[in-house]
């Protein structure tokens, strides 16, 4: 069919496989919508025929694709095979209902056909050169400013490759020269996983902040021997009332959220004018009451209330002139960030006037390059400077937190989290409109866990525009995050290969997969990660198409393995013994989208879902299945001699002893990184996020609490006997436990 051929040439899938033995055709509506979003006319049969002929002619006559890749060190791993069925990953294809967008450890569908023949991407430099006419002259303008007549021996970087054919045709391409592998862990290490907003100290303003994170890294490195602290995405949120509390639906992924600032740590805070000091003291008193309401009175974390106080305080602090050194540092930051920061700050200034959805602004302001926007920026220059200053201050405090981690002896330090996408009304979607697919949203197709599919409400990047730009937006994003990270976790890492596009206004069942040039995406990732000397961890939970995990591993991207999902899915279905786990991963007992370990051990997670009306089967059946699942794991832990401290056997084990046993087990695996969900260390039973809920559950608004639900401060955590007992298990296990993975 012409439509199928046209779709294949643009990487748009016409079918997907929800299970290895079943293939479902994507609707023509979804395919046409995806092509339209890529700028391809496909609304009528004649339009399809015309677009197909034009595309085939373009590919025949094209000298070079827009971006090509050359790997240094070793040959590039083979891309995922074309054709064939997807297979479920052993780690998690029976994990329960699929997660909502962002950080999901519960499985999300990732099934569908692999890249069709002729789809864009997957072109090695050698293949591109081999397709050139004989006698074509080449020239390379390197990232370092050199001009070369050969592609041999190029340094790593993103260069410009120019070709001139004998018939006079010319072409330019972005040439990405990247290390074949990302940096690897130097040894085995363990660390903490925490949602920063949930960790309050007695100095917080109602939610955890970067001062608390800096304290946590210093203490965890020195007192606990931890090698890393993994945090939630620190991306800038969409302002509003109420602000969306999810860190996985940000306004901008490039710039951090100033709500995390520790105001007192801004150097100018100490020099606020005496006339403003009384107002500042009043704000501090209100911040204390807000903090006490969360820690002592059971209130939820209220980002809007926190930001109202911090914004007013930062306005006062901004009145203090910067010293010469600070002024020079700020000017350097402005120069370094350039137009991207100007756009970011302009969006926030305009949002203060017109609201936080740019698609509803006056027509002229919807274009960041319009004359109207330039005039508005000039009129609002004071507010633009304020938001630029906030980005600078937050960036500096994040860098301080990473330095604190490394100074405390951490091998890795901070592990930052990259969300799948951005809010359609936010700053990035406004400033980078040309690279986002209009009228489409990222999600997941229907599967056994989510029969209606999922729509995460995040506009996808256009793969064609990324390639044409040499992946500039992606490069800049990674470079910004690696600036203060020892490692980067990539949410839904399978999105480097393909994403499920859902047409606006249609159910998630009526979407289709669109493929990205995974080779180029991985090359940029390897280039920027290697330059920063940082690790990369991919959240690869769920059903994954064949070859993807292998390709990620070949390039040094670590995976994610969660204990409860690691079973012998191809055989007995029983818990996977520790020696059968993969080494190149971060191994954990749970994540922010899953029940805390205490909740799973006790079955509290079933009761919670029952109370909220989320169960799709009788509660008795759910209880029995959950108890059987836990029972099999506890039996394995007992057989391995990991359950310690009980007088009467497994049945009388304490919950605390069982949690310790779970972590002893993780240390028996060859996993290079072992993560402890910080709330597990004090027996917290409440998940930070309950997928499938919106206002039924306080997602992303809970402080870390103990087994009775009482909020626990950072100071109390540091003194907790239960936490220290668990961390002693990690210390002993690292010294005497599982096998050291091979390099």
């Amino acid at each position: 069919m012409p439509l199928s051929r046209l779709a294949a040439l643009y990487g748009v899938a016409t079918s997907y496989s929800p299970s290895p033995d079943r293939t479902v055709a994507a609707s023509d509506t979804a395919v046409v919508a995806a092509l339209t979003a890529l700028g391809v006319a496909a609304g009528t049969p004649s339009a399809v025929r015309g677009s197909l002929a034009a595309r085939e002619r373009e590919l025949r006559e094209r000298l070079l694709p827009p971006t090509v890749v050359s790997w240094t060190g070793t040959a590039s791993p083979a891309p995922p095979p074309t054709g064939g069925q997807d297979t479920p990953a052993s780690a998690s294809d029976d994990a329960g209902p699929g997660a909502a967008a962002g950080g999901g450890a519960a499985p999300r569908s990732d099934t569908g056909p692999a890249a069709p023949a002729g789809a864009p991407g997957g072109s090695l430099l050698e293949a591109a050169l081999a397709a050139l006419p004989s006698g074509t002259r080449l020239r390379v303008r390197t990232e370092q400013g050199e001009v070369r007549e050969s592609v041999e021996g190029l340094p790593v970087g993103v260069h410009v490759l120019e070709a001139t054919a004998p018939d006079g045709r010319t072409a330019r391409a972005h040439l990405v020269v990247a290390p074949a592998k990302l940096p690897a862990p130097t040894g085995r290490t363990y660390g903490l996983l925490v949602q920063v907003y949930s960790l309050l100290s007695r100095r917080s303003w109602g939610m955890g902040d970067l001062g608390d994170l800096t304290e946590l890294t210093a203490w965890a490195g020195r007192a606990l021997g931890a090698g890393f602290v993994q945090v939630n995405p620190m991306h800038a949120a969409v302002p509003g009332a109420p602000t969306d509390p999810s860190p996985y639906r940000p306004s901008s992924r490039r710039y951090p959220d100033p709500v995390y600032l520790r105001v007192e740590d801004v150097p100018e805070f100490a020099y606020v004018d005496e006339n403003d000091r009384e107002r500042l003291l009043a704000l501090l008193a209100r911040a204390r009451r807000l903090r006490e309401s969360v820690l002592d009175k059971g209130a939820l974390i209220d980002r809007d209330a926190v930001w109202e106080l911090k914004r007013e305080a930062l306005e006062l602090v901004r009145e203090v002139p910067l010293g010469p050194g600070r002024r020079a540092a700020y000017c350097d930051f402005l120069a370094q960030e350039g137009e991207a920061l100007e756009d970011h700050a302009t969006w926030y200034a305009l949002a203060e006037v017109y609201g936080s959805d740019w698609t509803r602004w006056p027509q002229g302001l919807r274009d960041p390059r319009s004359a109207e926007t330039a005039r508005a920026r000039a009129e609002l220059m004071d507010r633009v400077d304020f938001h630029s200053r906030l980005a600078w201050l937050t960036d500096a405090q994040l860098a301080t937190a990473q330095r604190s981690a490394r100074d405390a002896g951490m091998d890795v330090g901070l592990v930052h989290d990259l969300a799948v996408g951005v809010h359609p009304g936010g700053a990035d979607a406004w400033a980078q409109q040309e690279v986002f697919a209009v009228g489409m949203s990222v999600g997941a197709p229907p599967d056994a866990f989510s029969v209606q599919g999922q729509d995460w409400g995040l506009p996808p990047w256009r793969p064609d525009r990324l390639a044409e730009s040499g992946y500039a937006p992606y490069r800049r994003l990674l470079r910004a995050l690696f600036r203060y990270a020892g490692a980067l976790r990539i949410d839904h890492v399978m999105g480097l290969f393909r994403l499920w596009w859902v047409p606006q206004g249609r159910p998630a069942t009526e979407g289709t997969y669109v493929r990205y040039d995974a080779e180029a995406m991985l090359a940029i990732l390897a280039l920027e990660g290697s330059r920063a000397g940082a690790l990369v961890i991919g959240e690869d939970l769920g059903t994954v198409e064949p070859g993807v995990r292998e390709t990620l591993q070949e390039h040094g991207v670590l995976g994610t393995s969660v204990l409860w999902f690691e079973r012998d899915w191809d055989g007995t279905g029983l818990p996977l013994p520790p020696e059968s786990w993969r080494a190149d991963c971060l191994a954990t007992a749970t994540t922010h989208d899953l029940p805390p370990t205490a909740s799973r051990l006790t079955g509290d997670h079933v009761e919670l879902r029952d109370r909220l009306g989320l169960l799709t089967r009788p509660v008795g059946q759910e209880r029995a299945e959950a108890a059987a699942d836990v029972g099999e794991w506890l039996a394995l832990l007992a057989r391995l001699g990991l359950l310690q401290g009980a007088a009467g056997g497994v049945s009388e084990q304490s919950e605390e002893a069982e949690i310790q046993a779970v972590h002893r087990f993780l240390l028996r695996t060859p996993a290079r990184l072992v993560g402890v969900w910080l709330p597990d260390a004090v027996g917290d039973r409440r998940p930070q996020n309950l997928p499938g809920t919106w206002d039924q559950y306080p997602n992303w608004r809970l402080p870390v609490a103990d087994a009775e639900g009482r909020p626990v401060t950072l100071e109390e955590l540091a003194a907790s006997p239960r936490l220290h007992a668990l961390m002693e298990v990690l210390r002993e296990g690292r010294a005497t436990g599982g096998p050291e993975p091979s390099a």
Side-chain angles (χ1 to χ4, degrees):
M1 287 179 59
L3 181 61
S4 296
R5 298 208 308 273
L6 179 64
L9 294 179
Y10 283 96
V12 177
T14 54
S15 65
Y16 69 97
S17 300
S19 60
D21 58 350
R22 181 168 168 253
T23 299
V24 177
S27 71
D28 286 353
T29 300
V31 174
V32 169
L35 287 169
T36 301
L38 291 170
V40 181
T44 65
S46 62
V48 169
R49 289 192 296 272
S51 295
L52 178 60
R55 180 62 169 171
E56 290 175 336
R57 182 171 59 254
E58 174 195 345
L59 294 176
R60 279 196 310 271
E61 297 176 356
R62 186 175 71 181
L63 286 179
L64 292 169
T67 295
V68 292
V69 171
S70 177
W71 300 97
T72 63
T74 62
S76 171
T82 58
Q85 300 291 323
D86 296 333
T87 56
S90 63
S92 58
D93 82 88
D94 194 23
R108 304 183 197 131
S109 173
D110 190 39
T111 55
S123 299
L124 290 170
L125 173 62
E126 291 81 1
L129 298 183
L132 291 172
S134 177
T136 297
R137 290 188 295 107
L138 298 175
R139 185 166 63 171
V140 179
R141 299 179 184 273
T142 73
E143 188 178 80
Q144 294 77 15
E146 300 177 72
V147 176
R148 299 192 182 188
E149 303 298 326
S150 169
V151 297
E152 300 298 325
L154 289 171
V156 296
V158 180
H159 316 300
V160 176
L161 174 63
E162 299 174 341
T164 303
D167 60 8
R169 287 180 298 151
T170 62
R172 274 187 166 199
H174 301 277
L175 171 55
V176 183
V177 180
K181 297 200 74 166
L182 281 150
T186 55
R188 302 191 68 199
T189 191
Y190 58 87
L192 303 175
L193 283 56
V194 64
Q195 302 281 289
V196 174
Y197 60 83
S198 71
L199 182 64
L200 284 74
S201 70
R202 286 294 174 184
R203 297 179 179 178
S204 307
W205 288 33
M207 62 179 280
D209 60 32
L210 291 172
D212 298 321
L213 179 59
T214 300
E215 289 282 355
L216 176 67
T217 57
W219 167 69
R222 289 183 167 88
L224 305 181
F228 63 90
V229 172
Q230 179 179 302
V231 300
N232 55 280
M234 306 297 285
H235 309 320
V238 177
T243 299
D244 186 341
S246 172
Y248 291 94
R249 194 170 155 82
S251 171
S252 172
R253 294 189 293 175
R254 177 162 177 178
Y255 293 102
D257 197 329
V259 76
Y260 288 107
L261 279 170
R262 171 66 64 84
V263 178
E264 298 93 317
D265 288 350
V266 176
E268 289 71 36
F269 176 87
Y271 304 102
V272 169
D273 187 273
E274 289 185 6
N275 295 328
D276 292 328
R277 178 64 57 178
E278 188 173 336
R279 287 178 59 194
L280 198 55
L281 291 174
L283 290 171
L284 289 170
R286 290 168 59 191
R288 182 183 66 251
R289 291 193 294 272
L290 188 59
R291 176 179 66 243
E292 290 171 350
S293 71
V294 174
L295 293 176
D296 305 326
K297 300 178 182 179
L300 298 174
I301 292 169
D302 186 343
R303 284 171 175 75
D304 294 324
V306 172
W307 178 237
E308 181 183 350
L309 295 178
K310 289 191 176 183
R311 181 193 54 75
E312 190 172 344
L314 289 164
E315 297 275 14
L316 296 175
V317 170
R318 181 173 170 247
E319 294 301 313
V320 177
L322 295 174
R326 294 273 291 162
R327 168 61 61 181
Y330 179 42
C331 290
D332 280 353
F333 183 77
L334 293 175
Q336 171 186 301
E337 296 300 306
E339 184 180 77
L341 178 59
E342 186 175 73
D343 286 343
H344 176 81
T346 298
W347 184 92
Y348 277 86
L350 290 170
E352 292 178 343
V353 179
Y354 299 104
S356 56
D357 183 354
W358 65 269
T359 64
R360 299 185 178 184
W361 292 353
Q363 188 67 41
L365 299 180
R366 298 177 193 177
D367 179 0
R369 307 289 165 251
S370 71
E372 292 90 339
T373 297
R375 283 195 297 270
R377 180 184 293 116
E379 293 167 359
L380 297 170
M381 186 51 66
D382 182 69
R383 303 308 301 164
V384 172
D385 179 71
F386 176 66
H387 291 288
S388 298
R389 183 87 63 96
L390 294 181
W392 173 57
L393 294 174
T394 314
D395 184 271
Q397 288 195 7
L398 279 165
T400 297
Q402 173 63 358
R403 282 196 302 271
S404 169
R406 300 308 293 265
D407 290 346
M410 288 191 174
D411 298 330
V412 177
L414 291 181
V415 181
H416 283 281
D417 199 348
L418 175 60
V420 174
V422 296
H423 193 286
D428 282 2
W430 175 73
Q432 303 173 22
Q433 293 174 46
E434 69 281 359
V435 296
F436 285 101
V438 177
M440 306 300 290
S441 174
V442 174
D447 59 15
F449 311 107
S450 180
V451 295
Q452 297 303 316
Q454 300 171 58
D455 183 346
W456 303 332
L458 309 170
W461 267 340
R462 284 181 53 165
D464 58 331
R465 294 284 172 81
L466 286 177
E468 290 164 6
S469 71
Y471 294 82
Y474 179 50
R475 278 188 278 144
R476 290 193 291 261
L477 171 60
L478 291 176
R479 194 169 300 172
L481 292 171
F482 280 128
R483 190 158 58 217
Y484 37 70
L488 181 66
R489 174 191 181 270
I490 299 182
D491 189 40
H492 192 65
V493 72
M494 294 82 76
L496 299 181
F497 295 78
R498 61 180 183 175
L499 285 170
W500 182 256
W501 286 20
V502 181
Q504 192 171 36
R506 306 299 300 174
T509 52
E510 297 184 25
T512 190
Y513 276 111
V514 175
R515 187 160 294 279
Y516 293 76
D517 186 342
E519 184 184 29
M521 298 287 276
L522 286 168
I524 297 295
L525 182 62
L527 173 63
E528 296 299 338
S530 297
R531 282 174 163 171
L535 310 178
V536 174
I537 302 165
E539 186 264 295
D540 58 350
L541 302 171
T543 305
V544 184
E545 62 179 325
V548 166
R549 274 202 177 91
E550 292 77 7
T551 299
L552 292 171
Q553 183 181 28
E554 288 283 351
H555 286 299
V557 178
L558 304 174
T560 302
S561 294
V562 177
L563 179 122
W564 308 100
F565 305 152
E566 291 291 330
R567 288 176 172 267
D568 179 13
W569 299 112
D570 296 327
T572 64
L574 292 173
L576 205 62
E579 63 273 12
S580 297
W581 285 42
R582 55 181 169 170
D584 295 324
C585 74
L586 165 65
T588 70
T590 190
T591 76
H592 55 266
D593 274 338
L594 292 173
T597 305
S599 178
R600 192 178 288 273
L601 290 169
T602 59
D604 283 2
H605 65 302
V606 175
E607 305 307 321
L608 173 61
R609 295 183 67 83
D610 182 43
R611 287 196 303 273
L612 297 177
L614 299 176
L615 298 181
T616 58
R617 298 182 298 175
V619 65
Q621 184 178 350
E622 294 277 357
R623 287 187 188 122
E625 187 173 298
D629 180 57
V630 170
E632 289 177 346
W633 277 103
L634 291 178
L636 176 59
L637 298 178
R639 287 198 301 274
L640 294 173
L642 302 177
L643 283 165
Q644 301 173 12
V650 173
S651 63
E652 297 183 21
Q653 284 291 345
S654 73
E655 169 196 302
E656 185 177 349
E658 290 169 351
I659 292 175
Q660 291 176 8
V662 163
H663 289 86
R664 287 191 188 95
F665 178 93
L666 294 177
L667 289 166
R668 285 281 188 95
T669 74
R672 294 178 180 275
L673 305 177
V674 173
V676 178
W677 175 237
L678 187 58
D680 273 356
V682 288
D684 198 345
R685 283 169 159 70
R686 305 175 304 176
Q688 279 295 313
N689 179 48
L690 188 58
T693 63
W694 179 245
D695 56 0
Q696 309 100 309
Y697 186 79
N699 294 321
W700 317 111
R701 290 174 287 168
L702 295 171
V704 175
D706 61 18
E708 285 70 46
R710 184 185 67 84
V712 178
T713 66
L714 174 58
E715 294 85 354
E716 290 169 330
L717 274 165
S720 167
R722 178 167 179 162
L723 180 145
H724 282 279
L726 178 59
M727 297 311 296
E728 189 59 31
V729 167
L730 274 292
R731 281 179 178 275
E732 293 175 355
R734 186 179 183 187
T736 63
E740 185 76 16
S742 59

